[in-house]
Amino acid sequence: MSDNGSPAQKPEDTGPSEHLNIKVTDNNNEVFFKIKRTTQLGKLMNAFCDRQGKNISSVRFLFEGTRVGPTDNPDTLDMQDGDTLEVHQEQIGGSW
C-alpha cells in the first residue's frame, strides 16, 4: 500500500450535501423525507398528505413559524439537514 500523505476526502467534508433529510410532523405522525435542496416542497407536501390521507387544501405547512408554499425549496428557505416542517389544520372562520 502506498500512502501519499493526504487523508481520503469524505463527501460530507466537501461542503453542503445535495440532499437533506426533512422531518414532517403534524404532532401525531412524523414522516422523514430525503430530498434535494432544489426540489420544490410541493412534492413533499403532496406525498405527506397522500400518506396521511389528508386533503392538501385542509392543511398548512410551516417552517420556523413561516408558511411554506409549494414552489419554495430548501435552498430558498435556508433549510439544514434534520430541519422540521410542521403541519397544522387549516382554520376556517374566526370572524365575528
Side-chain angles (χ1 to χ4, degrees):
M1 271 195 224
S2 65
D3 185 9
N4 62 5
S6 64
Q9 275 264 321
K10 294 181 181 175
E12 56 267 15
D13 292 341
T14 60
S17 170
E18 183 180 343
H19 290 86
L20 294 174
N21 292 303
I22 304 296
K23 178 171 76 170
V24 183
T25 181
D26 63 0
N27 291 328
N28 295 322
N29 304 299
E30 290 182 348
V31 180
F32 293 85
F33 293 92
K34 184 173 184 177
I35 62 171
K36 290 184 179 179
R37 294 180 173 276
T38 56
T39 299
Q40 290 187 349
L41 292 175
K43 286 180 74 172
L44 179 146
M45 295 158 71
N46 285 322
F48 179 82
C49 289
D50 287 346
R51 288 185 189 185
Q52 301 303 319
K54 296 179 186 280
N55 185 338
I56 194 157
S57 63
S58 69
V59 295
R60 61 183 174 202
F61 290 79
L62 301 176
F63 175 62
E64 295 181 344
T66 304
R67 190 165 189 163
V68 174
T71 58
D72 290 327
N73 66 46
D75 269 349
T76 61
L77 297 174
D78 198 26
M79 295 179 86
Q80 304 297 318
D81 190 48
D83 278 346
T84 301
L85 277 180
E86 297 175 7
V87 183
H88 297 279
Q89 193 70 31
E90 190 73 72
Q91 293 182 345
I92 300 172
S95 63
W96 287 64

